[in-house]
Amino acid sequence: MVLLIPKSLEEGEGLPEAEAETATGIENPSGISFQKKLIAFIVSFSVFLLLWQLVANESGNSLIVAGPLPVFQSLVNLLQNHIPLIARGAETADSAILETLEVIVLGFALSVVVGIPIGIAAGLYRSVEGVVEPWVSVVYSIPIVALVPVIYYGIGASFTADVLIAFLFSVFTIIINTQNGVRYMSNSLAEVGRTYGATSWQFITKIVVPASTPDMVTGMRIAVGRAILGAVLAEALIGETGLGGLMMIFQATFSTSYMMAAVVLIAIMGILVLQVPKILEHRLFKWKETERLARM
Amino acid sequence: MQSQESPSELLSSEPILRVEGVAKSFPKRQSGGKEEIIKVLEDVNFELKGGSFTSIIGPSGCGKTTLLRIVDGLLKPDAGRVIFNGEVVTTPPTRMGFVFQQFGLLPWRSVLKNVEFGLELRGTDPEERKEIAQKYIDIVGLRGYENNYVHEISAGMQQRVGLARALSIDPDVLLMDEPFASIDMQTREILQRQLLQIVKASVPKTTLFVTHNVDEAVYLSDEILLLGTHPAKVREVVKVELPPKRWTYDLRSQQEYTRLRQKIWKFLEKEIMERGGFGSFDPQEP
Ligand SMILES: Nc1ncnc2c1ncn2[C@@H]1O[C@H](COP(=O)(O)OP(=O)(O)O)[C@@H](O)[C@H]1O
Ligand SMILES: [Mg+2]
């Protein structure tokens, strides 16, 4: 709460300005929608904090559930690299954050670089689809968590193993969404390309890719979330490094409020990382604007 | 401007495009799961003289689009061939422009970038292609909309973009597949007039225009090919001998216009009633 209040005030600085503009008759829909979203967020967040506090009171044991205030205190300590004595030897928070970020970014980037070409090829060619589809079904029908020990015994507890798991968690989502985008692209667009003499490469870069970009970005947005999941899971289950590792160490040492602070850190990082495809979407799809649902 | 020339003098006698014995069938799935072969085109023959405006008219679903796609090399005929500029067409020729019924614009591109598309594929240098595209944007009357996205402009304007894109590659033959079919009546009339001004005066083109609209065919064409159905074949070639520069006078009040209109409509009506599966129609029946 202590952190939230100055933050919301800071963001609220834009409000009087937006009101002034609407008062003078200048439409400012983005200002209004921002206000609405902010209020909705503050309400839902307060309800969340309240429920959290209630659950903590009910359990009556801060080793099982720590309330929001101790967790916030632990978060501040963590960020200043003050860790409980019992968990000494754990990584400092900033290096843990950095490491986890690296795993996410590398795993995700790898799955984009690998997934998009495979998805395009699978969308365009039946033969590639025939190769890819069974594997996608297999990976979707078994939990990827089951692969973690296999990778652990295969290449050992290492940074590479974490990246590989983040990659495996996200790549199939990108392949499937890209393939769908290409598969359901309108044939008349393809015909336009042919009529005006597009080479195969031009056809892919100037028609197929832009036409399926909305689906690719949707895939990426889901994939980022899955890469985060994969990274934290890998860190928690093998090697105990990064934020996932930190979380496990605090749990093992009964530093519950610190463990939950680590979870909060992971959540914050996830929210920040998830903004990237959102920004990308906004910039890339100005041409789709009127096709969007008008919201209240 | 050579204003006193009659249309026949404007047309060169050498055909620029010749369609010889073209046939095409499609498999059609029956309700029982069996496949039946439907003959869509059979022994289609015609030719385009340089500078002419030729329309193909036929009932909906008779195979007009199929024929145009074969002419453009997008579809292989089962028999026969298309000869364009002395060569057999196998893939879309660089010197043919195509205007699509559903516009076929790329929604992620601006008006300018859509018009540039054909030149871009050809590797024309960016400065030059922008200049050329701008020229045709001006010709079709879209100056000021260069940076708009496709969804921001009306259907009529979208088809102007389609036309500018086809013209910008400087085609020898312009193929148009019912380009105004999904555009409202008032806009359509204006577009028809402007199209005629463009392909008969501003940038003279040989045009092959597909339509199912009788008025449109008579107003625009020097020659109309009447396409029968099941399978489609050129049944008759109707010459439209009305004075040139048709956008300068009220064509629709001319006797010849009314005569041609009735003649073509009779043909279409007969095709639709006899072969379109309507059977004998008795208005007295309850
Ligand atoms: N690719 C295709 N596969 C199967 N049937 C087709 C195909 N294209 C066209 N047809 C059939 O050929 C007939 C003529 O279609 P089309 O050329 O689009 O007619 P029009 O343009 O005159 O309305 C229709 O019955 C249509 O169903
Ligand atoms: Mg058609």
Side-chain angles (χ1 to χ4, degrees):
Chain A
M1 264 334 242
V2 191
L3 181 82
L4 188 79
I5 290 165
K7 194 160 178 275
S8 62
L9 275 181
E10 197 178 279
E11 285 172 344
E13 274 174 8
L15 300 188
E17 207 181 293
E19 270 166 8
E21 279 194 6
T22 37
T24 53
I26 300 164
E27 279 278 332
N28 188 350
S30 68
I32 292 168
S33 69
F34 177 72
Q35 276 182 46
K36 277 191 186 171
K37 271 174 112 169
L38 186 67
I39 292 166
F41 172 72
I42 290 171
V43 169
S44 77
F45 195 70
S46 311
V47 170
F48 167 71
L49 288 178
L50 199 75
L51 284 175
W52 183 1
Q53 187 63 59
L54 283 175
V55 172
N57 290 349
E58 198 59 34
S59 83
N61 184 344
S62 67
L63 284 185
I64 298 169
V65 181
L69 279 176
V71 169
F72 179 72
Q73 186 57 53
S74 302
L75 184 62
V76 172
N77 288 347
L78 207 56
L79 288 173
Q80 292 168 342
N81 289 327
H82 298 314
I83 330 181
L85 277 175
I86 191 168
R88 207 165 37 191
E91 234 176 324
T92 58
D94 47 6
S95 84
I97 291 172
L98 219 66
E99 174 159 2
T100 303
L101 257 179
E102 266 177 70
V103 174
I104 294 168
V105 169
L106 279 176
F108 175 70
L110 201 63
S111 67
V112 169
V113 170
V114 171
I116 285 187
I118 292 180
I120 290 174
L124 288 177
Y125 306 105
R126 269 180 229 272
S127 53
V128 181
E129 187 184 59
V131 173
V132 171
E133 242 171 24
W135 291 104
V136 171
S137 316
V138 165
V139 174
Y140 262 94
S141 55
I142 58 162
I144 304 177
V145 189
L147 290 178
V148 173
V150 177
I151 287 165
Y152 176 60
Y153 286 117
I155 57 179
S158 62
F159 181 73
T160 317
D162 295 348
V163 172
L164 192 63
I165 289 165
F167 164 76
L168 283 175
F169 261 77
S170 55
V171 72
F172 293 97
T173 309
I174 290 185
I175 293 178
I176 288 174
N177 278 276
T178 306
Q179 182 190 354
N180 262 326
V182 175
R183 191 69 200 80
Y184 294 104
M185 184 185 107
S186 135
N187 188 53
S188 62
L189 288 181
E191 206 139 88
V192 171
R194 285 226 288 143
T195 297
Y196 286 94
T199 61
S200 308
W201 180 245
Q202 285 175 327
F203 175 65
I204 289 173
T205 54
K206 291 181 194 291
I207 307 262
V208 174
V209 168
S212 48
T213 304
D215 294 274
M216 286 183 201
V217 174
T218 305
M220 285 191 219
R221 205 170 57 189
I222 305 167
V224 171
R226 293 183 59 88
I228 295 170
L229 188 71
V232 173
L233 214 85
E235 288 177 339
L237 294 182
I238 51 182
E240 303 204 335
T241 52
L243 284 176
L246 211 56
M247 194 176 76
M248 293 309 276
I249 291 168
F250 290 140
Q251 190 206 29
T253 55
F254 300 103
S255 319
T256 305
S257 68
Y258 280 88
M259 185 205 78
M260 290 173 76
V263 173
V264 170
L265 263 184
I266 292 168
I268 292 173
M269 200 175 63
I271 290 165
L272 292 180
V273 174
L274 280 171
Q275 296 310 306
V276 177
K278 265 196 182 171
I279 293 165
L280 214 69
E281 230 173 3
H282 204 75
R283 284 187 55 112
L284 279 172
F285 302 138
K286 284 216 180 77
W287 59 272
K288 279 198 103 178
E289 219 104 274
T290 54
E291 289 178 28
R292 285 203 189 133
L293 173 71
R295 291 186 299 188
M296 309 215 285
Chain B
M1 287 272 113
Q2 304 139 302
S3 53
Q4 53 285 63
E5 267 180 317
S6 78
S8 52
E9 277 169 323
L10 272 170
L11 312 180
S12 84
S13 52
E14 239 341 85
I16 188 167
L17 182 122
R18 207 161 56 227
V19 173
E20 296 177 347
V22 161
K24 185 75 193 176
S25 302
F26 287 115
K28 191 180 175 187
R29 203 159 288 137
Q30 294 298 98
S31 47
K34 281 185 300 182
E35 274 198 354
E36 192 194 357
I37 303 291
I38 305 271
K39 254 190 192 164
V40 176
L41 303 174
E42 192 178 52
D43 195 26
V44 177
N45 292 285
F46 67 88
E47 55 183 46
L48 299 186
K49 293 180 198 74
S52 67
F53 196 115
T54 306
S55 286
I56 298 175
I57 196 165
S60 265
C62 78
K64 303 183 295 296
T65 299
T66 305
L67 178 56
L68 215 55
R69 292 175 70 218
I70 289 173
V71 170
D72 195 39
L74 283 168
L75 199 65
K76 248 173 83 124
D78 298 338
R81 55 186 192 166
V82 176
I83 296 166
F84 172 58
N85 278 339
E87 281 174 44
V88 177
V89 172
T90 49
T91 51
T94 42
R95 296 195 68 85
M96 268 192 202
F98 204 114
V99 180
F100 298 86
Q101 182 169 355
Q102 298 306 329
F103 317 144
L105 302 179
L106 311 180
W108 54 87
R109 286 179 171 236
S110 65
V111 166
L112 179 71
K113 289 284 169 195
N114 263 289
V115 176
E116 281 184 15
F117 184 65
L119 297 165
E120 192 180 313
L121 295 185
R122 258 145 242 218
T124 312
D125 127 285
E127 281 300 310
E128 193 188 339
R129 73 172 182 242
K130 194 174 167 191
E131 221 168 273
I132 298 172
Q134 188 64 55
K135 174 182 151 194
Y136 288 101
I137 286 173
D138 291 352
I139 287 176
V140 301
L142 280 180
R143 179 171 271 272
Y145 292 94
E146 292 84 353
N147 298 319
N148 282 89
Y149 283 108
V150 172
H151 71 76
E152 297 169 326
I153 60 177
S154 69
M157 289 161 100
Q158 290 185 26
Q159 195 55 295
R160 286 166 195 267
V161 178
L163 179 61
R165 177 178 64 187
L167 291 172
S168 71
I169 58 165
D170 191 23
D172 292 333
V173 167
L174 189 60
L175 306 176
M176 303 182 82
D177 186 9
E178 306 203 38
F180 308 141
S182 51
I183 291 166
D184 69 273
M185 279 252 284
Q186 288 94 333
T187 311
R188 193 189 310 168
E189 277 197 24
I190 294 167
L191 284 173
Q192 288 163 355
R193 193 171 67 224
Q194 291 180 338
L195 172 66
L196 212 49
Q197 275 177 279
I198 289 168
V199 299
K200 285 292 185 184
S202 338
V203 271
K205 291 291 168 205
T206 309
T207 311
L208 183 58
F209 188 97
V210 162
T211 181
H212 65 257
N213 184 313
V214 180
D215 290 281
E216 185 168 77
V218 179
Y219 176 68
L220 293 170
S221 319
D222 301 315
E223 249 180 28
I224 303 170
L225 312 177
L226 306 185
L227 220 57
T229 43
H230 300 304
K233 191 181 161 105
V234 179
R235 310 266 170 193
E236 198 179 334
V237 180
V238 176
K239 289 216 180 320
V240 183
E241 269 152 359
L242 287 158
K245 301 211 164 186
R246 294 182 192 161
W247 58 93
T248 55
Y249 60 94
D250 182 15
L251 187 84
R252 288 168 174 101
S253 64
Q254 303 251 328
Q255 227 170 24
E256 176 67 358
Y257 176 85
T258 320
R259 188 188 71 81
L260 287 171
R261 207 185 160 279
Q262 271 166 2
K263 177 188 158 90
I264 295 166
W265 172 240
K266 255 202 195 106
F267 166 81
L268 281 181
E269 191 178 37
K270 192 164 143 271
E271 282 295 325
I272 296 169
M273 297 310 275
E274 277 181 12
R275 303 168 199 261
F278 284 84
S280 57
F281 175 67
D282 183 0
Q284 310 304 341
E285 249 175 66

